[in-house]
Amino acid sequence: MIPAPSTRPVLAEPPAAAEELACTHCGLPVPVAAREVAAPHFCCSACELAYGIIHGAGLGAYYERRDRIGVASSATRATGKSYAEYDDAAFLSRYVTESGADRRLELFLEGIHCTACVWLVERLPRLLPGVRSASLELGRSALEVVFDEARVAPSAIARALDTLGYAPHPSAATQRAGERRAERALWVRLGVAGALAGNVMLMALALYSGAAEDAPYAALFRWGSLLLTLPSVFFCGSVFLRGGWAALRTRVPHMDLPISIGILAGFAQSAYNTLFGRGEVYFDSLAVLIFLLLVGRWLQQRHRQRAQGALDLIAALSPVTARLVDGEAVRDVPASAVREGDLVEVPFDERLPVDGIVVAGRSSIDAAWLTGESLPEDVKPGDRVYAGTLNREKTLVVRVESPASGTRLARLLESVEKAQTRRAPIVRLADRVAGVFVLVVLALAAVTFGVWSFIDGARALDHAVALLVVTCPCALGMATPLAVSAALKRAARTGIFFKGGEFLEALARPGTIAFDKTGTLTEGRLALASYEGDSSVKPLVSAAESRSGHPVGRALVAAFGASQSLSVESVAEEPGLGLAARVDGHEVRIGTSEHVGGKEASSSFPWREALARAAELGRPAVAIAVDGEVRAVAAFSDPLREDTRASLDALRRAGYSVAVLSGDQPRVVATIAERLGPVLEARGGMLPEQKQAWIEQARERGPVVMVGDGVNDAAALAAADVAIAVHGGAEASLGASDVFTTAPGVGKVLEAVLGARRTLAVIRRGIAFSLAYNVAGVVLCMGGWISPLVAALLMPLSSLTVVTQALRARTFDAPRRTA
């Protein structure tokens, strides 16, 4: 027996809509019954509790700040959860880290929308003794809490935030404490390197300007520069020295190798000249070089963190707890403890922790993160729902099909994480080019040193060091992976998820692109295509079908409009035949010829001929009888999506040949193909095995892209060079795809193709610029026109130019207008 969905202690179901008053705390409408109470007014007890806590702690300025900046309050309200799982040992070991004698917890907060929210949340230590500090990053809605575990428990922190209206979720970023330590270490090196470089430059200025012409002062500034450059080279620059040493040990040329050799050679020469009091010193060049190299390293690391931020947000959408239905009781358990077949209760305004089938309750689900749809989708018993989606209305009971580790959300996270680490062929090519380039640079530096030893021995090392520095292949090595990573992130923001960078490269090559018809080229739903007969019966039909959830009924109601004036006395549906209803005293029957009366139905209207015409066009049709007389025939079709023809034309201009493969009737497919423009082939009535065979044969002629959304497309998707699953696709097609779009239709496919081409263009430009720059640098250094200081300035400048181009390239920005 499935228990009825329970009611939560703090909130029952959402309050009824009201127009006159808004809740003082959250801004939602106040129920009619609550309007009789004196101000302030609240929509529920949770908001009243939050208001009291905020004012009781002396934080009433929150509302003044919120109103002053002119934003509406968050509609997120307290869930009433206990958050007891936050005190579990498994949770503590996974999400809580040490911070000296205290503990650190990072949380993702729902409902953060303005600086007033930041001000309020960061006053958490005033609400909870034991909380040392609370720091909220508005952009990521990420809160870092440092607390004394002996005085306050993580569950108490979570409940306090929840009571204020900011439902917390543990952030995956907490697990990357090692990365944060590395970032802090880089910041320390960067700060120290900047301070040392500034002081060494001041001493160099005194030497260059002649202010220290006296020998004692010159020696003092030289030795002072040496002492300051020592920590710059061996502490701040150790990250590059370790990389160079690793390149020697593994015998794999790396971009840190020429940099390390240049730094050590320049330092050794300068130290030698300082020791013996003759020749030039380049401590200032070395200090500035190390500082600029660290700036470039920090920019690269910062980009990786920004790319990871999207994963943190997606991971936070999956609840860590679930309300397990155990007999007549409901208890909170870790989401990881739920198993297939269990029943889980999902209260309204909470996210689903599992994938499953609704078995009790009706509600609407906000699946914007997964589908890109802005409007919630109605669900009822028998409908499939997914983890991470938000239950908007009524409490649901869901039978688990996929526990937390196997949900669609978990698979999406896994695929995006793999996409960020997988190396595309063009990235591997760039690495090979960089490796060869390092060897060439080392050889040219040796030649430069040898040639200038005969020309001017005092300047030989200078020119060799300058060549090593200016030709560092940092730009060549960074531009390609950064361009791919940035493109994958931009694509994900627009609703296109690539499972690997290699598919960017494959999709950029023109070839054959095959589409499934239903749901891909077409809307995937029935719409009225033609209506023959008496128009006066349309209100009767609309009233009768308004009680039906059948696709034919929905199409008729959409075409005729809802009828509110007629009374529907009874409705009965016969699966496979049609509907019978009594509307305003009339007997209305809609369906097949057998259902409306067959031979017995009387009519002066030639309805059988109308049904035959619809059948010739491959359109499903129904007859409409009123009081035993057939009065009309309605035929239906699956209409083309609005963007289909324009998108296919753009793909053809991009060099693709278009094909249509469908399991629908061949006549229907042929009719659709006539409206698509030139197609390579349009085939209907295809079984999954036949689609797969067609794809395999087409691959013999060149690259093939398959676009589909159904289970019958999975085999063909797996056989293609690039498989694209569109929004709403079945799990099988999602698993077999290389690219997944969160919006229906061909428009996203076109965006993916054009974005992939733009990404390849960015990579090629970066490689070309890097090679041209390095060739010019080699010529200038071997000719003696560039000093180590100028080389130190030019090297990071080239890297920053290429990296900036890669990060700012408009590869997958908002859809561009297609001419």
Side-chain angles (χ1 to χ4, degrees):
M1 177 180 177
I2 299 173
S6 64
T7 302
R8 293 186 294 172
V10 176
L11 293 176
E13 301 300 346
E19 298 179 359
E20 292 86 350
L21 292 176
C23 176
T24 303
H25 176 67
C26 75
L28 289 180
V30 174
V32 176
R35 297 176 197 165
E36 303 301 326
V37 183
H41 299 92
F42 302 101
C43 63
C44 63
S45 59
C47 288
E48 184 175 3
L49 176 62
Y51 183 86
I53 291 174
I54 291 172
H55 277 275
L59 301 176
Y62 159 71
Y63 297 103
E64 298 175 8
R65 289 172 175 266
R66 186 191 70 191
D67 296 339
R68 187 165 58 246
I69 62 179
V71 298
S73 182
S74 169
T76 303
R77 297 173 298 177
T79 65
K81 294 172 61 177
S82 67
Y83 295 95
E85 68 279 359
Y86 279 46
D87 298 333
D88 185 79
F91 180 94
L92 296 175
S93 63
R94 183 177 183 185
Y95 294 108
V96 177
T97 58
E98 293 185 1
S99 178
D102 295 321
R103 296 293 181 265
R104 175 181 282 105
L105 172 63
E106 186 168 316
L107 299 168
F108 169 78
L109 301 185
E110 291 187 49
I112 297 295
H113 56 93
C114 67
T115 55
C117 298
V118 177
W119 182 88
L120 177 61
V121 170
E122 291 188 343
R123 269 63 184 174
L124 188 63
R126 294 175 59 174
L127 294 176
L128 284 178
V131 175
R132 306 291 192 197
S133 66
S135 177
L136 177 61
E137 184 180 340
L138 179 60
R140 294 194 304 123
S141 297
L143 173 67
E144 185 180 84
V145 182
V146 178
F147 63 98
D148 181 358
E149 64 178 346
R151 299 179 62 193
V152 63
S155 61
I157 297 173
R159 283 195 300 272
L161 293 166
D162 181 81
T163 302
L164 295 177
Y166 305 107
H169 304 275
S171 172
T174 309
Q175 304 173 55
R176 295 193 300 278
E179 292 184 14
R180 286 200 299 274
R181 284 195 296 270
E183 182 185 13
R184 286 194 293 269
L186 180 58
W187 268 110
V188 170
R189 285 189 170 89
L190 187 58
V192 172
L196 292 173
N199 284 280
V200 174
M201 285 294 291
L202 288 175
M203 294 184 182
L205 179 63
L207 291 171
Y208 294 150
S209 65
E213 291 181 354
D214 294 339
Y217 289 107
L220 176 64
F221 283 126
R222 282 173 175 253
W223 279 101
S225 299
L226 171 61
L227 293 177
L228 290 177
T229 308
L230 271 172
S232 180
V233 170
F234 295 104
F235 171 69
C236 302
S238 61
V239 290
F240 308 108
L241 299 180
R242 284 196 300 267
W245 174 241
L248 288 176
R249 284 191 301 127
T250 58
R251 299 180 181 179
V252 177
H254 188 271
M255 65 183 65
D256 284 344
L257 182 58
I259 286 294
S260 301
I261 294 175
I263 290 173
L264 292 175
F267 181 79
Q269 178 68 27
S270 299
Y272 178 84
N273 291 342
T274 299
L275 181 62
F276 290 97
R278 62 173 184 267
E280 299 292 335
V281 294
Y282 307 107
F283 296 123
D284 53 335
S285 301
L286 294 174
V288 171
L289 170 64
I290 291 171
F291 173 70
L292 294 176
L293 286 171
L294 288 172
V295 169
R297 184 67 59 93
W298 175 80
L299 289 174
Q300 184 180 2
Q301 186 180 85
R302 183 64 177 169
H303 164 72
R304 286 198 301 266
Q305 291 173 348
R306 280 164 41 199
Q308 184 68 33
L311 287 180
D312 294 344
L313 179 58
I314 296 175
L317 294 175
S318 184
V320 296
T321 61
R323 293 171 60 83
L324 181 67
V325 177
D326 187 4
E328 296 297 325
V330 178
R331 56 189 176 90
D332 288 339
V333 298
S336 57
V338 177
R339 296 292 178 261
E340 183 178 352
D342 287 346
L343 295 179
V344 171
E345 183 184 87
V346 185
F348 83 93
D349 216 23
E350 290 193 9
R351 296 190 182 274
L352 278 72
V354 295
D355 291 355
I357 301 295
V358 177
V359 295
R362 290 174 176 265
S363 185
S364 61
I365 295 294
D366 182 352
W369 77 266
L370 180 65
T371 65
E373 292 286 350
S374 59
L375 296 177
E377 177 184 356
D378 293 335
V379 295
K380 59 185 183 303
D383 289 342
R384 180 173 280 102
V385 289
Y386 297 99
T389 55
L390 183 64
N391 181 15
R392 281 295 191 188
E393 292 185 10
K394 305 286 185 178
T395 300
L396 297 173
V397 175
V398 177
R399 187 178 303 280
V400 179
E401 282 194 332
S402 299
S405 60
T407 62
R408 194 175 190 179
L409 173 63
R411 292 196 299 276
L412 178 60
L413 271 172
E414 182 181 2
S415 67
V416 175
E417 287 173 343
K418 288 181 178 178
Q420 290 190 338
T421 58
R422 190 179 297 144
R423 302 172 71 80
I426 195 165
V427 176
R428 294 192 290 269
L429 173 62
D431 288 346
R432 290 194 297 269
V433 171
V436 173
F437 191 81
V438 167
L439 296 177
V440 173
V441 165
L442 292 175
L444 290 174
V447 171
T448 301
F449 181 80
V451 171
W452 276 94
S453 296
F454 291 101
I455 300 174
D456 185 354
R459 301 176 61 191
L461 185 61
D462 294 352
H463 297 321
V465 170
L467 189 147
L468 288 172
V469 171
V470 80
T471 57
C472 171
C474 295
L476 180 64
M478 288 191 297
T480 302
L482 281 180
V484 171
S485 179
L488 293 178
K489 184 179 73 171
R490 287 181 180 273
R493 284 179 174 174
T494 62
I496 304 171
F497 293 89
F498 285 82
K499 292 185 178 180
E502 64 268 31
F503 302 116
L504 280 169
E505 186 175 356
L507 196 58
R509 300 195 308 267
T512 301
I513 183 164
F515 291 91
D516 173 53
K517 179 187 73 68
T518 306
T520 306
L521 300 175
T522 65
E523 295 281 356
R525 60 174 179 82
L526 289 182
L528 185 65
S530 64
Y531 181 87
E532 298 182 52
D534 187 357
S535 297
S536 65
V537 301
K538 289 181 179 180
L540 296 173
V541 172
S542 178
E545 292 288 6
S546 63
R547 302 292 184 89
S548 171
H550 194 276
V552 167
R554 291 198 294 267
L556 289 171
V557 173
F560 299 158
S563 178
Q564 305 293 338
S565 59
L566 302 180
S567 62
V568 181
E569 301 166 19
S570 64
V571 175
E573 292 189 70
E574 297 184 39
L577 293 176
L579 174 145
R582 188 161 189 82
V583 181
D584 234 21
H586 297 281
E587 189 70 27
V588 179
R589 301 183 72 87
I590 307 167
T592 64
S593 58
E594 293 82 3
H595 181 68
V596 299
K599 295 181 180 179
E600 292 77 18
S602 62
S603 176
S604 58
F605 168 66
W607 58 280
R608 296 186 185 277
E609 289 81 353
L611 288 175
R613 284 192 296 271
E616 289 177 2
L617 295 174
R619 293 174 174 173
V622 295
I624 301 170
V626 178
D627 296 330
E629 180 182 1
V630 178
R631 307 275 290 275
V633 168
F636 305 89
S637 65
D638 185 2
L640 278 179
R641 296 188 182 276
E642 292 183 0
D643 64 343
T644 295
R645 178 60 189 265
S647 299
L648 292 182
D649 288 341
L651 287 171
R652 281 188 280 261
R653 288 194 297 271
Y656 274 99
S657 299
V658 177
V660 181
L661 311 178
S662 176
D664 208 342
Q665 301 176 36
R667 178 57 187 165
V668 175
V669 176
T671 302
I672 290 292
E674 293 174 0
R675 302 169 55 191
L676 298 178
V679 295
L680 177 67
E681 189 171 357
R683 298 186 58 183
M686 298 188 74
L687 298 174
E689 297 80 5
Q690 293 173 322
K691 288 187 179 182
Q692 180 183 5
W694 192 97
I695 294 294
E696 291 172 347
Q697 292 176 2
R699 288 186 64 187
E700 298 176 359
R701 302 188 296 269
V704 177
V705 178
M706 176 67 195
V707 184
D709 71 337
V711 174
N712 63 333
D713 299 319
L717 289 168
D721 292 289
V722 181
I724 302 178
V726 296
H727 153 74
E731 291 298 311
S733 64
L734 176 61
S737 67
D738 306 313
V739 184
F740 170 65
T741 72
T742 59
V746 189
K748 284 294 181 185
V749 177
L750 175 62
E751 285 184 49
V753 170
L754 298 182
R757 292 193 169 193
R758 287 192 288 266
T759 302
L760 266 292
V762 170
I763 292 172
R764 294 189 183 103
R765 285 198 302 270
I767 293 175
F769 175 84
S770 179
L771 291 175
Y773 162 84
N774 283 314
V775 169
V778 167
V779 173
L780 293 174
C781 289
M782 295 186 75
W785 292 301
I786 292 182
S787 68
L789 177 58
V790 175
L793 294 172
L794 292 178
M795 188 282 299
L797 185 62
S798 71
S799 298
L800 290 176
T801 301
V802 173
V803 170
T804 301
Q805 177 197 233
L807 296 183
R808 296 183 64 83
R810 300 175 63 86
T811 50
F812 287 91
D813 279 354
R816 300 181 178 186
R817 181 173 297 176
T818 302

